Amino acid sequence: MDEMVNRAVTITGTRATRHRRHSDFAGLFGAYLAPFAAHEASVFYLGGAKGIDTLALTWLAENTAVQLVVVVPGTLDQQPVEARSALDRHQARIAQIIELRAEALNTEAYHTRNRYMVDRSGMTIGFPHAGGAGSGTWQTLDYTAELGKPRLIVPV
């Protein structure tokens, strides 16, 4: 396996994060993302949505030197305001933004985005909402497992 793929990590997680304090997530990222972000040649793929995607992007941009790649199912303009704001704030830290240009933002478009990220990563770190079975986060984690890649699951 290519060395860069081994260092690439997909981040997936719930969009519902208001049930915890912002500092709680910073602590979780420090514990569970930092060990994989110690090498500046590491690449982190993020989905560009609100919630975990935005919080993880902000934490990684402010606390690490890793390469950040944001993958959106449609176009950047279609992303939620909260997510676009974080992307604008950390634009200088984002190595690449990939727009998959789905015709419709539906379940299949999000699953395609998730598979795109996992296919290019050596592992996935997921932050599912407790009790959120059947979510896009779980679809991503299950796809990772189907490929025989490691996954770290941190319920929030």
Side-chain angles (χ1 to χ4, degrees):
M1 188 176 267
D2 178 78
E3 184 177 327
M4 282 308 293
V5 172
N6 287 336
R7 288 196 182 129
V9 177
T10 289
I11 302 298
T12 186
T14 181
R15 292 181 184 150
T17 57
R18 295 187 188 269
H19 63 289
R20 295 185 83 151
R21 294 183 321 238
H22 191 278
S23 60
D24 292 345
F25 290 104
L28 289 171
F29 298 152
Y32 296 105
L33 298 186
F36 301 98
H39 194 287
E40 64 185 54
S42 296
V43 177
F44 278 74
Y45 285 89
L46 301 116
K50 68 180 190 172
I52 290 295
D53 288 355
T54 298
L55 293 170
L57 170 72
T58 297
W59 188 88
L60 288 163
E62 293 175 356
N63 295 283
T64 74
V66 299
Q67 296 176 50
L68 302 171
V69 177
V70 176
V71 182
V72 298
T75 64
L76 197 54
D77 290 340
Q78 294 171 306
Q79 293 306 105
V81 172
E82 176 185 330
R84 284 196 326 262
S85 177
L87 292 168
D88 288 344
R89 253 189 340 271
H90 301 294
Q91 185 176 14
R93 284 284 291 112
I94 298 170
Q96 187 176 13
I97 296 175
I98 299 168
E99 297 175 307
L100 297 179
R101 300 196 173 275
E103 289 186 27
L105 293 183
N106 55 27
T107 300
E108 184 54 36
Y110 289 103
H111 288 186
T112 298
R113 180 218 37 212
N114 298 343
R115 288 189 303 269
Y116 181 96
M117 296 188 303
V118 171
D119 288 345
R120 286 152 181 81
S121 298
M123 73 171 296
T124 298
I125 302 174
F127 297 88
H129 194 281
S135 68
T137 301
W138 280 108
Q139 177 270 332
T140 307
L141 291 164
D142 290 344
Y143 181 68
T144 302
E146 288 172 21
L147 296 180
K149 295 181 180 186
R151 60 191 183 153
L152 175 60
I153 302 169
V154 184
V156 296

